[in-house]
């Protein structure tokens, strides 16, 4: 479990990070380049111990977590198909100092619940967001305190890894221990889009919901950085942080060409996420009428084939609800941040059907601008009318479990 005896250097007083890159022999060269970029962490490569066996992630992930160095307080595991943001190691070290006893993820897929939570948190000015209960733990870039590494290794075994992916196993083990994962806002790694070795390409392209290098120029401030003078200067265009990390209770989620709302509940550890259709949510919150007035104006200026009007309307309303839920207590998000977040909303939820995806990719810039107009309309309505009223508890309790969306996104149309 402890790896070999190569020492690791302290990242800061009380923080000692070791690292591993999990990989398959076919991608060993890419993994080696990634490990080299991590500098003084003495990063190890964790090769799939059974490369010709059934495709799985936990088998290799187990080896990567078992590579924790002696004396390390934290261990970082990266998958081999990620791109690091600028100053990645500095940012991870800063994050570990800020949250020394918390599992930290530095990525979430743009079409996941955690991606939707990241998007909402970014637009609201937060630097961290708790992972959504009931979804897998994002594992492309994950930092665990030593005690969580040891618990994971004790609770799993590589010889029985085939039926359970590593992100699901981590969610199960951490939840059983009452541990919450925080996700960086924005994300510190991007998925490179290499072909999946375990069949995940069926979900379409998988990218970050909000990648740091897209949000900031070279002077951009790192998430989790201490508020020193240099960071204040670099962060002057960010909205103010909203305090302790909180999970948004309303997530605007798009999956495989279908949009819906996921309600996380007042007690995220106890309340199972529920889903409701976009239309039903607008009705429940009293936003249908004024939303329609804004959309009719936007549609008059829209040039799109009739076959894509439903998609455009859905994108506009998703952005409108994001704006309506962006609190009035925050500064208006910087335009660059808004565009990055909304672009991932546009592209991330349109993996299927293929005709929609190809048309969306060709017109991504124009559709992102349409979403920006929807977001601005939502902000204006928030200022004028206040936040949307919450869904009553009894109504929420009657809604279907959100996990059913992963089996059939069309279920949201009738919810």
């Amino acid at each position: 479990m402890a790896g070999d005896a190569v020492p690791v250097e302290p990242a800061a007083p009380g923080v000692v990070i070791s690292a591993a890159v999990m990989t398959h022999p076919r991608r060993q060269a890419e993994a080696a380049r990634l490990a080299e970029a991590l500098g003084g962490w003495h990063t190890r490569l964790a090769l799939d111990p059974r490369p010709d066996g059934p495709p799985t992630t936990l088998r290799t992930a187990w080896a990567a977590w078992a590579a924790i160095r002696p004396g390390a307080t934290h261990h970082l595991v990266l998958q081999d198909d990620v791109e690091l943001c600028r100053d990645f190691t500095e940012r991870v070290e800063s994050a570990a100092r800020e949250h020394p006893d918390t599992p930290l993820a530095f990525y979430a897929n743009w079409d996941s619940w955690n991606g939707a939570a990241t998007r909402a948190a970014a637009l609201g000015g937060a630097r961290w967001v708790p992972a959504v209960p009931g979804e897998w733990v994002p594992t492309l870039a994950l930092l665990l305190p030593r005690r969580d590494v040891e618990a994971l290794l004790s609770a799993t075994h590589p010889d029985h890894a085939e039926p359970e992916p590593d992100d699901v196993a981590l969610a199960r083990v951490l939840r059983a221990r009452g541990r919450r994962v925080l996700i960086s806002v924005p994300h510190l790694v991007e998925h490179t889009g290499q072909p999946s070795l375990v069949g995940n390409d069926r979900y379409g392209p998988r990218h970050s919901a909000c990648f740091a290098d897209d949000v900031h120029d070279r002077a951009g401030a790192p998430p989790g950085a201490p508020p020193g003078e240099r960071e204040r200067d670099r962060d002057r265009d960010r909205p103010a942080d909203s305090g302790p990390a909180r999970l948004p209770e309303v997530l605007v989620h798009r999956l495989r060409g279908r949009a819906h709302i996921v309600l996380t509940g007042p007690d995220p550890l106890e309340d199972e996420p529920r889903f409701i259709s976009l239309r039903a949510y607008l009705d429940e919150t009293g936003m249908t009428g004024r939303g329609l007035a804004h959309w009719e104006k936007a549609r008059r200026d829209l040039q799109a084939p009739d076959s894509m009007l439903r998609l455009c309307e859905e994108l506009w309303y998703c952005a409108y609800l994001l704006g309506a839920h962006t609190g009035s207590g925050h500064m208006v998000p910087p335009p660059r941040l808004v565009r990055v977040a909304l672009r991932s909303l546009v592209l991330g939820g349109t993996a299927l059907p293929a005709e929609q995806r190809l048309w969306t990719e060709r017109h991504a810039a124009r559709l992102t601008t349409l979403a920006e107009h929807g977001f601005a309309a939502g902000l204006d309505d928030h200022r004028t009318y206040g936040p949307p009223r919450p869904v009553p508890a009894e109504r929420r309790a009657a809604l279907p479990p959100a996990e059913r969306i992963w089996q059939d996104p069309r279920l949201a149309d009738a919810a």
Side-chain angles (χ1 to χ4, degrees):
M1 182 188 304
D4 58 38
V6 175
V8 287
E9 300 172 1
V15 173
V16 180
I17 296 174
S18 66
V21 179
M22 53 183 284
T23 189
H24 189 278
R26 278 184 281 171
R27 296 216 285 241
Q28 188 169 350
E30 293 95 325
R33 286 193 291 271
L34 185 59
E36 186 178 358
L38 296 179
W41 289 347
H42 303 288
T43 303
R44 301 180 67 186
L45 297 188
L47 292 171
D48 186 342
R50 293 170 53 202
D52 298 325
T56 182
T57 51
L58 184 55
R59 188 172 61 221
T60 310
W62 200 95
W65 291 111
I68 186 170
R69 301 282 190 182
T73 61
H74 297 74
H75 190 55
L76 173 76
V77 169
L78 296 173
Q79 297 186 15
D80 59 16
D81 53 352
V82 301
E83 170 192 348
L84 307 180
C85 71
R86 291 182 291 270
D87 302 321
F88 175 78
T89 56
E90 173 191 338
R91 299 181 186 202
V92 171
E93 290 168 1
S94 174
R97 290 194 298 269
E98 184 180 0
H99 297 285
D101 189 38
T102 303
L104 301 176
F106 302 111
Y107 171 88
N109 280 347
W110 58 7
D111 65 348
S112 66
W113 297 348
N114 286 318
T118 299
R119 203 174 285 119
L123 293 170
R127 293 185 293 121
W128 297 96
V129 66
V132 182
E135 192 172 62
W136 61 87
V137 169
T139 55
L140 258 70
L142 184 65
L143 181 77
L144 293 183
R146 174 177 280 275
R147 68 188 182 104
D148 291 313
V149 175
E150 293 171 346
L152 174 67
L153 295 174
S154 297
T156 57
H157 196 282
D159 291 342
H160 306 105
E162 282 76 14
E164 190 175 39
D166 66 323
D167 48 13
V168 174
L170 270 156
R172 173 176 56 79
V173 172
L174 292 176
R175 183 176 180 86
R177 290 166 47 76
R179 303 284 278 160
R180 301 282 316 270
V181 178
L182 290 183
I183 303 171
S184 66
V185 182
H187 301 149
L188 303 190
V189 305
E190 173 63 288
H191 191 264
T192 61
Q194 292 215 40
S196 172
L197 299 178
V198 293
N200 286 332
D201 290 332
R202 67 184 182 276
Y203 298 116
R206 290 162 291 130
H207 290 290
S208 164
C210 188
F211 182 44
D213 282 2
D214 293 336
V215 172
H216 301 294
D217 57 22
R218 288 200 172 272
E229 291 299 326
R230 182 169 63 96
E231 285 77 11
R232 287 196 195 98
D233 290 343
R234 297 193 307 186
D235 214 19
R236 61 187 178 275
D237 294 327
R238 274 177 67 92
D241 190 18
S242 54
R246 292 174 295 180
L247 181 63
E249 293 186 9
V250 176
L251 303 179
V252 179
H253 187 224
R254 298 185 66 238
L255 178 67
R256 290 176 246 164
R258 302 278 175 166
H260 52 273
I261 302 299
V262 173
L263 304 177
T264 62
D267 186 345
L269 287 177
E270 298 295 331
D271 294 322
E272 183 179 28
R274 305 282 176 163
F275 74 86
I276 184 172
S277 73
L278 199 63
R279 291 293 179 190
Y281 182 76
L282 289 165
D283 289 343
E284 291 280 350
T285 54
M287 300 177 66
T288 300
R290 55 181 181 261
L292 179 62
H294 289 301
W295 161 243
E296 289 296 338
K297 182 178 184 301
R299 186 170 65 174
R300 286 195 294 271
D301 300 330
L302 185 65
Q303 294 181 348
D306 290 345
S307 61
M308 296 298 164
L309 278 177
R310 181 182 183 278
L311 168 66
C312 294
E313 183 179 9
E314 172 187 281
L315 290 170
W316 187 92
Y317 272 108
C318 284
Y320 171 71
L321 287 176
L322 275 172
H325 280 285
T326 297
S328 56
H330 300 293
M331 296 168 55
V332 175
R336 184 167 176 172
L337 170 62
V338 172
R339 190 161 186 86
V340 168
L342 294 181
R343 184 178 184 276
S344 79
L345 174 75
V346 167
L347 291 173
T350 317
L352 294 173
E355 180 186 7
Q356 271 193 10
R357 176 175 58 81
L358 294 173
W359 189 83
T360 301
E361 289 174 350
R362 285 197 300 270
H363 299 279
R366 187 155 62 93
L367 291 172
T368 303
T369 299
L370 175 70
E372 287 175 319
H373 293 161
F375 181 77
L379 280 178
D380 286 344
D381 277 1
H382 185 114
R383 296 189 192 99
T384 303
Y385 304 103
R389 65 179 183 234
V391 174
E394 61 276 12
R395 168 67 168 135
R396 183 196 177 281
L399 293 172
E403 64 180 12
R404 292 175 56 192
I405 288 294
W406 295 104
Q407 281 71 55
D408 186 359
R410 293 173 298 180
L411 292 171
D413 294 342

